[in-house]
Amino acid sequence: MNLDAKIPSGPIEKKWAKHKFDMKLVSPANKRKYTVAVVGTGLAGGAAAATLGELGYNVLSFCFQDSPRRAHSIAAQGGINAAKNYQGDGDSIYRLFYDTVKGGDFRAREANVYRLAEVSNNIIDQCVAQGVPFAREYGGYLDNRSFGGAQVSRTFYARGQTGQQLLLGAYSSLMRQVSAGTVKMFARTEMLDIVIVDGQARGVVVRDLVSGEVKSYAADAVVLATGGYGNVFYLSTNAKNCNVTAAYRAYKKGAGFANPCFTQIHPTCIPVSGDYQSKLTLMSESLRNDGRVWVPKQKGDKRKPGDINEEERDYYLERKYPSFGNLAPRDIASRAAKEACDDGKGVGESGLGVYLDFASSIKRLGEDAIRERYGNLFQMYEHITAENPYKQPMRIFPAVHYTMGGLWVDYNLQSTIPGLFVLGEANFSDHGANRLGASALMQGLADGYFIIPYTIGNYLAGVKPNTANKVESAEFKHSEEEVQQKIKKLLSINGSRSVDSFHRELGLIMWDHCGMARDEKGLKEALKKIPKLREEFWKDVRVLGDGEEFNQSLEKAGRVADFLEFAEVMCRDALEREESCGGHFRTEYQTEDGEAKRNDAEYCYASVWEHKGDGVPPVKHKEMLSFENVTLATRSYK
């Protein structure tokens, strides 16, 4: 496996400009000869399909929802980062770059992160031009607020629904190209395989989720923008349909999978309320701008929060991290909450919760100001919990949220399979071992609007357009047959257990042994349990209906089957990374005060896993990371 990152030469602030000039171009007349398949219609995929269509390429856009408007990007709440420095508080492209590298615990590739910071300002201009209703100050200027891991206000927002508004902007651009005929939209369609012809990605095999028809589509290049794999834990803040299938099927066809153990736990989620809950609800990190996090100082104190005096409260983030306080990064804030609950100070019936209290801000600013900033989030919380957060503190607890791991890509966002490009959360490139809040939307739109249009052109300029009759080739027929065989196998088992029961059991294994904290013993235990559970799945799962109809039981079964394989790769990666960094916290590797302890001498690399066949252990490769523009240092927010 060749891990050439193709990082341009020269000073970091000039790499992207130099690279854009050095790359090959496709002339406007030739662009319409090429076909690009874009899988996924969230911010990254929608932006990419819209931009490539506007450039003149023929784009096939695949969406497994009924509309791109339902992509999970809609769930992002708090905002999007950019280095505009509108607040005049010392922000800059370099500071955004540095905060992102540091926030990722120095496990991201410098060149990619700097480019992300560099193009961030273009994103805001693009979205304003699309009519995205960002919050504005009294004078009409765009407003900013703070997010974790930064001491400047660089986050642009639209109340608590920033993702929805940005997605509507990308969607409007996408549908304009659908109307113009440059983009063909395939809704309710799930990608089930990548087709490789002569070593290059040349198309996809999909299933129509309404009719059940399995069909192939040829393309000169394929773009995957299918999100993350947080639902391997069953309970997460992700939409229930979010899955690893597209990325994992690409991995099985030869795409390297990088850093799968790097998953993010978000500190501000509504706590679990029952054994049969199907997902968790996120409360935006933006709430930590005005909410103060605390627990009672006394263990087992079950009094109502209003009955606990100020001197009896432990504002532990403000105490432990005075420079950043309640806006400490997500991984650190999550572990601190777990530590408080493990110490017997947790709140709520389960004891698995901490308070997020707005009383001080309401007293200082007034309820109307808080309602203006966070009104829809407060409504959502009250609707779910039947508690009024204007009158009493919210209860929050950490939960699985985002995945930093993903398919390995080079500087051009191309995977180890030529012609297969990977965008947004589906790739590994920008966030290292921990993502700072408000950076997911930034990466998705940077990849889709401002990076892939250049880099895919560089690839296509060296490829002759050749999609005619390709779907009749042996490679496409073979992939279709493999997909059909797996569907038939799932339907033929007719066992006694539901798909969800297997998924829930896998999620418990992963949370207990590869969740917020991991250790060697637990990971080895998981690596014993997962193969046994997978074997039982293929013997005793019950999938209702048949394959030639709308069948959500079959959809789930295919996705859970992939999770049952992928979970093993995750645990293997976590076991072999004998250090703590960001969201990967090995309890054996921590400082005296409980902070993550990196091992730069041995683990300053991205681990990239290569599939070697079913039942055969994958092989790990390393992309060594070098830091020429920031100094490797102990990550401190004190």
Side-chain angles (χ1 to χ4, degrees):
M1 181 173 282
N2 180 21
L3 296 180
D4 178 7
K6 295 184 174 65
I7 299 171
S9 59
I12 196 166
E13 65 274 9
K14 296 182 180 179
K15 287 183 186 294
W16 180 230
K18 178 181 183 297
H19 193 55
K20 285 192 289 185
F21 181 77
D22 290 342
M23 283 190 289
K24 299 172 185 176
L25 300 175
V26 180
S27 73
N30 285 334
K31 284 188 174 79
R32 57 178 172 266
K33 299 176 183 178
Y34 290 96
T35 299
V36 180
V38 180
V39 185
T41 52
L43 283 183
T51 308
L52 293 173
E54 191 163 0
L55 285 171
Y57 294 104
N58 297 303
V59 179
L60 309 177
S61 177
F62 298 94
C63 166
F64 74 13
Q65 295 93 354
D66 59 349
S67 165
R69 290 173 297 173
R70 293 187 184 273
H72 189 57
S73 300
I74 199 174
Q77 297 168 343
I80 177 171
N81 288 330
K84 287 283 195 183
N85 194 32
Y86 284 167
Q87 302 294 321
D89 56 359
D91 203 8
S92 64
I93 290 171
Y94 185 85
R95 189 177 296 278
L96 175 52
F97 156 68
Y98 177 79
D99 286 348
T100 305
V101 171
K102 177 186 175 183
D105 219 348
F106 303 92
R107 289 295 177 262
R109 189 190 293 149
E110 273 193 341
N112 287 64
V113 179
Y114 191 90
R115 178 178 61 186
L116 175 65
E118 186 179 351
V119 304
S120 67
N121 294 336
N122 297 337
I123 298 169
I124 305 304
D125 297 338
Q126 169 95 357
C127 294
V128 169
Q130 290 173 336
V132 172
F134 287 122
R136 294 180 181 267
E137 296 176 331
Y138 178 77
Y141 294 104
L142 295 181
D143 196 13
N144 292 112
R145 58 188 176 199
S146 299
F147 256 64
Q151 291 179 304
V152 297
S153 294
R154 62 163 67 104
T155 304
F156 295 78
Y157 64 98
R159 297 187 77 182
Q161 51 184 249
T162 313
Q164 180 181 16
Q165 299 302 329
L166 292 172
L167 186 63
L168 289 172
Y171 171 74
S172 64
S173 295
L174 176 58
M175 296 312 291
R176 177 173 176 267
Q177 295 308 311
V178 172
S179 179
T182 62
V183 177
K184 291 182 180 179
M185 174 63 64
F186 299 89
R188 297 188 179 96
T189 303
E190 183 170 25
M191 192 212 90
L192 296 179
D193 205 5
I194 292 281
V195 182
I196 311 297
V197 180
D198 298 328
Q200 298 176 309
R202 285 294 196 174
V204 295
V205 178
V206 302
R207 179 175 180 269
D208 185 310
L209 296 179
V210 177
S211 69
E213 181 186 11
V214 173
K215 193 173 180 180
S216 296
Y217 293 88
D220 297 296
V222 177
V223 175
L224 286 189
T226 52
Y229 48 88
N231 276 346
V232 69
F233 292 91
Y234 185 73
L235 283 178
S236 82
T237 66
N238 289 208
K240 287 300 292 178
N241 276 344
C242 293
N243 62 81
V244 77
T245 289
Y248 190 71
R249 304 282 172 95
Y251 161 75
K252 293 187 78 169
K253 282 297 182 74
F257 210 112
N259 300 333
C261 77
F262 285 171
T263 55
Q264 179 169 81
I265 312 297
H266 199 294
T268 54
C269 299
I270 298 178
V272 177
S273 60
D275 291 340
Y276 289 95
Q277 190 167 337
S278 62
K279 77 175 297 294
L280 298 172
T281 303
L282 174 69
M283 288 285 100
S284 169
E285 181 171 315
S286 63
L287 294 170
R288 292 198 277 149
N289 273 281
D290 291 301
R292 300 178 70 193
V293 179
W294 64 274
V295 291
K297 288 183 178 178
Q298 182 180 333
K299 295 181 180 181
D301 191 338
K302 295 300 181 183
R303 289 179 293 169
K304 294 179 179 179
D307 295 335
I308 302 174
N309 298 325
E310 280 290 313
E311 58 271 15
E312 297 177 296
R313 301 178 179 186
D314 180 12
Y315 294 93
Y316 58 86
L317 289 177
E318 298 172 31
R319 171 175 57 81
K320 296 180 69 172
Y321 310 103
S323 294
F324 286 76
N326 295 298
L327 286 171
R330 291 174 176 178
D331 58 323
I332 289 173
S334 294
R335 286 197 294 274
K338 181 179 185 297
E339 182 182 285
C341 294
D342 289 346
D343 196 32
K345 298 177 182 178
V347 302
E349 290 184 14
S350 67
L352 297 177
V354 301
Y355 288 128
L356 181 61
D357 196 338
F358 293 86
S360 296
S361 294
I362 290 173
K363 183 177 180 180
R364 176 170 50 89
L365 300 170
E367 187 173 314
D368 288 345
I370 298 301
R371 193 180 304 276
E372 178 68 24
R373 293 177 184 179
Y374 312 112
N376 62 308
L377 296 171
F378 278 48
Q379 288 172 358
M380 182 167 65
Y381 181 86
E382 185 171 8
H383 182 74
I384 292 171
T385 65
E387 298 172 4
N388 184 348
Y390 294 105
K391 303 300 182 185
Q392 64 188 88
M394 289 182 178
R395 289 177 297 108
I396 57 170
F397 192 69
V400 174
H401 178 55
Y402 187 90
T403 53
M404 286 75 64
L407 294 179
W408 184 91
V409 292
D410 61 18
Y411 190 73
N412 294 325
L413 304 184
Q414 185 171 227
S415 72
T416 54
I417 299 175
L420 176 62
F421 295 81
V422 190
L423 313 186
E425 191 179 358
N427 76 32
F428 90 110
S429 68
D430 291 357
H431 306 297
N434 175 65
R435 179 178 67 80
L436 293 184
S439 287
L441 305 183
M442 177 175 62
Q443 185 205 354
L445 292 181
D447 288 356
Y449 283 138
F450 299 109
I451 299 173
I452 194 64
Y454 288 96
T455 60
I456 203 169
N458 181 61
Y459 169 77
L460 292 173
V463 174
K464 290 183 179 180
N466 186 19
T467 59
N469 300 320
K470 274 290 180 183
V471 293
E472 302 301 324
S473 68
E475 291 87 351
F476 277 88
K477 294 302 180 186
H478 179 67
S479 289
E480 278 191 32
E481 288 171 7
E482 285 186 330
V483 167
Q484 292 279 24
Q485 286 171 5
K486 187 164 188 175
I487 290 172
K488 289 177 182 177
K489 186 175 180 181
L490 286 167
L491 291 167
S492 68
I493 297 167
N494 200 28
S496 62
R497 288 186 59 179
S498 70
V499 175
D500 279 344
S501 72
F502 282 102
H503 195 181
R504 188 180 289 111
E505 186 173 343
L506 174 65
L508 282 172
I509 293 171
M510 295 301 290
W511 178 252
D512 289 343
H513 301 306
C514 195
M516 207 182 325
R518 303 103 183 257
D519 60 33
E520 180 180 7
K521 180 181 177 182
L523 289 165
K524 287 183 175 178
E525 183 71 20
L527 287 169
K528 292 178 181 177
K529 289 181 176 179
I530 294 168
K532 291 180 181 177
L533 183 64
R534 184 169 64 243
E535 184 179 357
E536 185 180 352
F537 174 88
W538 285 106
K539 289 180 179 178
D540 199 30
V541 72
R542 185 176 183 84
V543 182
L544 305 174
D546 63 49
E548 296 179 356
E549 64 178 3
F550 176 70
N551 189 340
Q552 290 188 306
S553 179
L554 177 60
E555 292 172 38
K556 287 182 186 177
R559 296 166 190 169
V560 172
D562 290 330
F563 277 140
L564 283 163
E565 294 183 19
F566 174 69
E568 198 169 339
V569 185
M570 280 183 68
C571 291
R572 192 180 295 273
D573 187 46
L575 180 63
E576 294 201 12
R577 187 171 284 274
E578 296 180 357
E579 64 165 353
S580 290
C581 56
H584 169 66
F585 190 73
R586 287 281 297 268
T587 56
E588 309 100 309
Y589 307 103
Q590 56 182 302
T591 62
E592 290 182 0
D593 53 355
E595 302 293 348
K597 189 175 183 180
R598 292 198 324 266
N599 181 350
D600 294 329
E602 297 182 75
Y603 294 96
C604 194
Y605 60 74
S607 56
V608 185
W609 294 88
E610 180 184 7
H611 181 66
K612 286 294 185 180
D614 293 338
V616 179
V619 172
K620 185 174 80 172
H621 303 269
K622 301 176 184 179
E623 182 201 339
M624 304 308 297
L625 301 173
S626 61
F627 293 90
E628 301 170 1
N629 299 275
V630 297
T631 302
L632 279 168
T634 300
R635 184 167 166 245
S636 174
Y637 292 91
K638 296 183 178 181

